[in-house]
Amino acid sequence: MSSTYLGMPTAPVFGQGNINATESFPAAARRELGNTQLRANLGHATHTIRDKRLRVVGELPDWEELRNAGSATKAAVMAQLPELLEQFEANFTARGGIIHWARDAAEANEIVRDLIREQGVDEVVKVKSMATQEIGLNEYLEEQGIAAFETDLAELIVQLDHDKPSHILVPAIHKNRSQIREIFLREMPGVDPGLTDSPPKLAEAARLHLRRKFLSAKVAISGANFAIADAGTLAVVESEGNGRMCLTLPDTLITVMGVEKLLPSWQDLEVFMQLLPRSSTGERMNPYTSLWTGVTPGDGPQNVHLVLLDNGRSAALADQMGRSALHCIRCSACMNVCPVYERTGGHAYGSTYPGPIGAILSPMMTGIRSEENSSLPYASSLCGACYDACPVKINIPEILVHLRAEDVDSKRGRKPPSQMDLLMKGASWAFSSGKHLRLLEKGLPLGRIAAGRKKKITKLPGIAAGWTRSRDVPAPPAESFRDWWAKEHKA
């Protein structure tokens, strides 16, 4: 295991795992748009969550002040991250916990594997965790002969269906209850053959299935929503109680957490415990909040470990313009208001982090030169709804534009030049001089000929074909503005 420098890196180490897309967003989105059931499920679910959030946010007269406080706290954490991490480590270890530093996904997976093998088991239970999805922990453990059982209902559904999550908060948002019933009947051992698609019956089937796992598991794996630096305390918020079972029953608890999840003090947690439930599930307060500080003799897990994960976060931190992407508290509010996500779903983004936040976070963690991830900053209409919804005021549209510029800059000077390079070079020449522009305007009649009788250009060559696939170009005017002006003002 290598050591990780926590300051501003001179040569950023980019992330690996399930944050690297395997195909470009346009190609994946085109495929997902053809799934009418997916679009119907997403439309219903996102509208429901969005409406609930608006109601509970509207109850607070100081909602904007809370957003400002959350944003300021996260900015302070990023500015003091090395010091806060050292403070947290000292407090966590002083209370019996053990910390492991992981440079990337490979190191984190190996650490978790070794900790499980030390306990002599081949099964673990898991609390919903974005960090473990990011590093592909379940798949890695399966290769090592260790079965990891998801205990969150939505995560369980996705796992049983051999699928991937498509939403940060509701991983199975793309499935309806009839589909879930079919998955349970096909994949869940010992399920009642007469199971209906009634939500209470489906929940009961999952509860019976998981109860045996909870009571027999010796090792549990979790993520963490927050870590309190001045106390050495970890926090998990959830809605089903499965997290509480995993965090208290097993002898060994292994937590995997991104280094950006820190908060300086308990007082800061007060702000985020108001922001997170309202922004995520549309609740005033989440049903279960679990807090643990190291080891308590005779109560709960006696072998407590925390894997602190970089995996590209230091690379994101090094980007002064985009580092606020690390402020994200994984509430999914931006996804529920995004017109692009609502139509394409999470799988189109090819990453553990879909939607608007994924469109900036994934390419920042992997580097914009990561071929498929370089298309993610374009997966947006820049409408700004995500910024308005974000509880910590991450200016996602601004970062998207910044990353688009980085993508263009990264491709400059390629040989041979791309079509876009040639077009931009031509535009630069045209707009550099009135004489140049006047010369090009002489070609307007050719455009009118191409438009034909319908006075519409319906097909253009090259990369311009992407424009005419979904819209027509109107025929150019009979004369340019310059010519009209000269004719009207001869005197």
Side-chain angles (χ1 to χ4, degrees):
M1 182 174 65
S2 61
S3 61
T4 302
Y5 171 58
L6 300 175
M8 297 299 290
T10 54
V13 176
F14 293 117
Q16 53 184 236
N18 291 330
I19 50 175
N20 287 278
T22 55
E23 62 180 330
S24 68
F25 179 83
R30 193 172 297 116
R31 182 186 63 251
E32 297 299 324
L33 283 168
N35 187 337
T36 55
Q37 183 64 64
L38 169 74
R39 295 179 66 179
N41 294 352
L42 281 172
H44 173 73
T46 55
H47 279 257
T48 300
I49 299 171
R50 189 161 68 219
D51 292 345
K52 285 179 63 180
R53 176 192 170 276
L54 285 172
R55 284 196 297 271
V56 295
V57 164
E59 297 172 352
L60 295 181
D62 61 345
W63 178 249
E64 287 305 313
E65 286 76 9
L66 283 168
R67 291 180 72 205
N68 289 333
S71 178
T73 300
K74 280 294 187 177
V77 168
M78 296 305 118
Q80 308 169 58
L81 190 57
E83 295 84 358
L84 289 172
L85 283 168
E86 290 178 1
Q87 181 185 16
F88 177 83
E89 179 183 33
N91 289 323
F92 187 81
T93 55
R95 290 160 176 81
I98 302 171
I99 281 186
H100 310 263
W101 300 89
R103 181 184 182 90
D104 53 32
E107 276 195 1
N109 285 332
E110 290 169 5
I111 292 167
V112 175
R113 176 203 62 196
D114 292 345
L115 292 173
I116 295 170
R117 283 182 173 169
E118 285 176 7
Q119 305 308 311
V121 299
D122 58 7
E123 287 188 359
V124 297
V125 290
K126 286 183 75 250
V127 188
K128 180 177 180 291
S129 164
M130 300 300 294
T132 60
Q133 290 170 11
E134 172 191 322
I135 63 177
L137 180 63
N138 286 10
E139 297 86 350
Y140 175 81
L141 292 179
E142 185 178 3
E143 293 172 0
Q144 303 297 313
I146 300 170
F149 295 98
E150 296 289 352
T151 62
D152 174 87
L153 178 55
E155 289 284 357
L156 173 65
I157 292 165
V158 170
Q159 185 181 45
L160 288 174
D161 199 33
H162 312 287
D163 196 0
K164 291 184 177 181
S166 63
H167 191 276
I168 287 177
L169 179 70
V170 193
I173 196 171
H174 55 296
K175 300 186 186 297
N176 59 32
R177 62 187 188 181
S178 297
Q179 293 171 310
I180 295 168
R181 172 183 174 273
E182 292 172 3
I183 294 167
F184 282 9
L185 288 173
R186 184 180 70 245
E187 301 287 342
M188 189 178 284
V191 71
D192 180 3
L195 180 68
T196 69
D197 65 0
S198 164
K201 293 296 183 183
L202 293 173
E204 182 183 11
R207 189 181 303 114
L208 292 172
H209 169 70
L210 290 172
R211 184 57 59 94
R212 293 187 291 270
K213 301 297 181 185
F214 286 136
L215 296 177
S216 62
K218 293 184 178 180
V219 177
I221 298 172
S222 83
N225 293 95
F226 306 106
I228 313 301
D230 69 357
T233 297
L234 294 170
V236 163
V237 298
E238 39 116 5
S239 299
E240 299 172 15
N242 64 298
R244 183 69 56 80
M245 301 282 275
C246 289
L247 297 169
T248 56
L249 291 177
D251 298 323
T252 297
L253 174 60
I254 305 167
T255 301
V256 181
M257 184 187 81
V259 293
E260 81 282 13
K261 293 296 187 71
L262 285 177
L263 296 177
S265 69
W266 282 104
Q267 188 175 5
D268 300 305
L269 183 63
E270 176 188 348
V271 172
F272 288 90
M273 290 306 293
Q274 295 182 75
L275 290 172
L276 181 56
R278 285 177 167 84
S279 297
S280 56
T281 56
E283 297 171 296
R284 299 176 185 88
M285 184 177 181
N286 55 284
Y288 295 91
T289 300
S290 298
L291 302 157
W292 68 102
T293 307
V295 175
T296 302
D299 183 14
Q302 300 298 293
N303 185 25
V304 177
H305 298 263
L306 171 62
V307 180
L308 282 168
L309 177 69
D310 184 335
N311 202 39
R313 286 160 177 80
S314 58
L317 184 65
D319 188 325
Q320 293 188 4
M321 177 69 185
R323 69 173 59 161
S324 60
L326 294 174
H327 297 184
C328 176
I329 59 174
R330 311 292 192 263
C331 69
S332 78
C334 63
M335 300 165 63
N336 297 327
V337 298
C338 178
V340 176
Y341 172 84
E342 184 179 319
R343 286 157 180 80
T344 63
H347 291 160
Y349 295 81
S351 167
T352 293
Y353 305 108
I357 188 61
I360 60 172
L361 191 58
S362 298
M364 289 185 68
M365 291 170 66
T366 62
I368 198 67
R369 292 177 184 270
S370 175
E371 185 174 351
E372 303 302 349
N373 278 8
S374 66
S375 68
L376 288 175
Y378 302 93
S380 170
S381 65
L382 301 179
C383 67
C386 50
Y387 178 40
D388 293 337
C390 179
V392 290
K393 303 186 78 169
I394 302 171
N395 195 335
I396 295 176
E398 185 177 72
I399 301 174
L400 286 167
V401 173
H402 162 67
L403 290 175
R404 291 179 186 186
E406 280 204 346
D407 177 49
V408 172
D409 289 343
S410 73
K411 295 171 181 173
R412 290 188 191 279
R414 293 184 304 182
K415 295 179 181 181
S418 68
Q419 293 181 49
M420 181 60 75
D421 293 334
L422 296 174
L423 284 171
M424 291 297 103
K425 194 73 174 176
S428 175
W429 177 85
F431 291 110
S432 65
S433 162
K435 290 181 180 179
H436 295 169
L437 195 58
R438 188 177 296 113
L439 181 63
L440 286 178
E441 288 169 352
K442 300 296 184 184
L444 287 176
L446 295 176
R448 294 181 65 79
I449 292 172
R453 293 181 179 179
K454 294 183 179 180
K455 297 184 178 180
K456 291 187 295 185
I457 299 174
T458 58
K459 190 173 182 180
L460 288 171
I463 61 172
W467 178 271
T468 51
R469 257 198 297 268
S470 55
R471 57 181 69 78
D472 297 327
V473 180
E479 59 181 348
S480 69
F481 175 80
R482 291 168 179 271
D483 291 340
W484 173 85
W485 182 269
K487 186 173 64 177
E488 291 293 316
H489 297 80
K490 281 183 180 179

